[in-house]
Amino acid sequence: MGAMSYLSVIESYQDYKSVVHDLVESILSGTAQTQLFTSEASILTALKKIDAHYPFVELLYTLDEHGMQTSENALSNKDGINIMPGAKHSDRSQRPYFKLALSADEISVTSPYMSSATGNLCVSAAMKYTDENAKVCGYLVVDINLTRIIEFLRGDELRRKTVPFFYAVYILMVIGLMSVAGTMLFMAFEDLFSLFPSQELPGNPPYKLFEIIIFITLSLAIFDLGKTILEEEVLMHKDVFRHSSTRRTITRFIAAILIAVSIEALLTMFKASLGEVELMKSAVWMMLSVVGLLLGLGGYVYLGAKAERILLKNRMQYGKTNTQ
């Protein structure tokens, strides 16, 4: 549930590429007007109107027909809408969005890149604006925050606002699990030290060893469960829209359970071999449960991966159809 990595953003962009381009083109088409090329106040007003409906638009500015910036950057960020000084009269003639717009009559959208103004991963779109005599008045350019537009298209804005609450809940769970694991380890080492000759031998030492092993292995399983929750739900970004992300989480949880059950089954088997024959049936059933979990997990992973390949193939075919 952590912030989207650049890799996740790029992968998601490939899935939504045609939609992103259509949306950005519609924003530019609805915004372009003559006064934007003569008044910076108009640019600021236009960005405020855009931000009310499309909060992923970061920058709005204009260029002349030669690629020189004719306005300051109108910036939208967490502090609101304002002017970022220092960009006016900058030469943008070598920027990809200007080169694309220069050679095309339609709106041009770049590939993802790192914005020099905000440091965020973005795409830029440029629109050539002409007057009634077909003379080029300039170019209107917008920078789009790629992460924010993907969240917008997924309807993920509300979930993103609740992330701090979920972080707190998961961290409390992890602290609780780690505390239990630590307590069990402490008890295991306390029993272990009691087995030394200088100490009074508590009961049957071989069985006491089994109890110690059970405490240690269960603490290992609980620690691994807490570690999985911390990594999957707090430290790493979890893309709930991708089957592979959900499949990875479930696989890690089942693997932690498998380790715990397998070790418990082995210990029960050892106890049975030391004389407690009545435990043999339980040990066998536990082993069969482990085999069943492994088979089920293998089938789940295989079918999930196969289903995702089919979905990706259909998306690629849909994208090709839209671009034709």
Side-chain angles (χ1 to χ4, degrees):
M1 193 161 39
M4 292 179 70
S5 66
Y6 289 147
L7 180 60
S8 298
V9 173
I10 295 297
E11 288 178 346
S12 299
Y13 169 73
Q14 295 303 323
D15 294 338
Y16 295 96
K17 185 175 181 178
S18 59
V19 181
V20 169
H21 285 207
D22 290 343
L23 182 57
V24 173
E25 289 173 10
S26 69
I27 293 172
L28 267 181
S29 299
T31 303
Q33 48 188 321
T34 305
Q35 55 263 41
L36 293 176
F37 296 91
T38 58
S39 170
E40 288 187 0
S42 298
I43 296 176
L44 202 60
T45 301
L47 184 57
K48 288 179 180 178
K49 291 180 179 178
I50 294 173
D51 186 72
H53 301 284
Y54 306 110
F56 48 81
V57 177
E58 283 189 321
L59 294 175
L60 181 68
Y61 52 96
T62 57
L63 309 177
D64 65 15
E65 64 273 22
H66 304 296
M68 298 296 293
Q69 189 162 334
T70 55
S71 70
E72 298 288 5
N73 291 331
L75 172 69
S76 172
N77 57 20
K78 61 182 180 180
D79 298 323
I81 311 295
N82 49 65
I83 293 293
M84 178 188 289
K88 193 173 183 179
H89 305 307
S90 297
D91 185 3
R92 309 295 185 189
S93 60
Q94 299 302 313
R95 303 297 288 175
Y97 50 82
F98 179 75
K99 289 184 176 181
L100 288 172
L102 189 64
S103 58
D105 292 328
E106 67 241 11
I107 296 171
S108 302
V109 184
T110 67
S111 298
Y113 70 98
M114 190 73 70
S115 171
S116 59
T118 64
N120 297 322
L121 198 61
C122 73
V123 293
S124 293
M127 175 183 179
K128 184 187 294 182
Y129 191 81
T130 57
D131 59 17
E132 61 276 5
N133 299 318
K135 181 182 178 181
V136 177
C137 298
Y139 296 85
L140 182 63
V141 183
V142 293
D143 282 5
I144 304 296
N145 185 311
L146 205 53
T147 302
R148 295 290 300 278
I149 193 173
I150 290 170
E151 291 175 345
F152 178 87
L153 291 172
R154 290 174 170 177
D156 209 23
E157 288 285 316
L158 180 60
R159 188 193 69 84
R160 191 169 62 86
K161 293 177 182 178
T162 62
V163 163
F165 170 74
F166 292 136
Y167 276 167
V169 173
Y170 280 121
I171 289 172
L172 283 175
M173 290 180 179
V174 171
I175 292 173
L177 289 170
M178 295 299 182
S179 299
V180 172
T183 302
M184 294 183 72
L185 276 176
F186 175 78
M187 294 172 63
F189 281 103
E190 191 175 46
D191 286 345
L192 181 62
F193 288 131
S194 70
L195 293 176
F196 289 118
S198 59
Q199 304 290 332
E200 182 182 349
L201 295 179
N204 192 337
Y207 287 105
K208 197 65 178 178
L209 282 173
F210 281 125
E211 291 179 8
I212 293 171
I213 294 172
I214 290 172
F215 274 130
I216 293 175
T217 52
L218 285 178
S219 65
L220 170 64
I222 293 171
F223 177 83
D224 194 52
L225 185 61
K227 175 174 170 287
T228 299
I229 293 175
L230 183 65
E231 290 177 344
E232 293 287 335
E233 305 296 346
V234 179
L235 301 180
M236 297 171 59
H237 171 71
K238 183 177 180 181
D239 190 347
V240 295
F241 294 91
R242 285 187 176 273
H243 295 276
S244 57
S245 179
T246 304
R247 191 170 65 249
R248 182 191 67 210
T249 302
I250 293 176
T251 301
R252 294 190 65 182
F253 276 111
I254 296 297
I257 295 171
L258 273 170
I259 292 170
V261 176
S262 300
I263 294 173
E264 186 66 26
L266 286 172
L267 292 174
T268 306
M269 190 77 74
F270 288 146
K271 283 184 178 181
S273 67
L274 289 175
E276 298 186 33
V277 183
E278 67 276 7
L279 295 177
M280 183 61 71
K281 185 181 291 186
S282 298
V284 171
W285 280 113
M286 290 175 72
M287 284 294 186
L288 290 175
S289 299
V290 170
V291 172
L293 281 172
L294 277 173
L295 291 174
L297 180 61
Y300 171 76
V301 172
Y302 171 76
L303 293 175
K306 186 176 181 180
E308 187 170 13
R309 284 196 299 269
I310 294 173
L311 286 173
L312 289 174
K313 183 178 179 180
N314 291 338
R315 283 181 181 176
M316 289 177 65
Q317 290 177 346
Y318 176 75
K320 288 179 180 178
T321 303
N322 285 346
T323 55
Q324 289 176 354

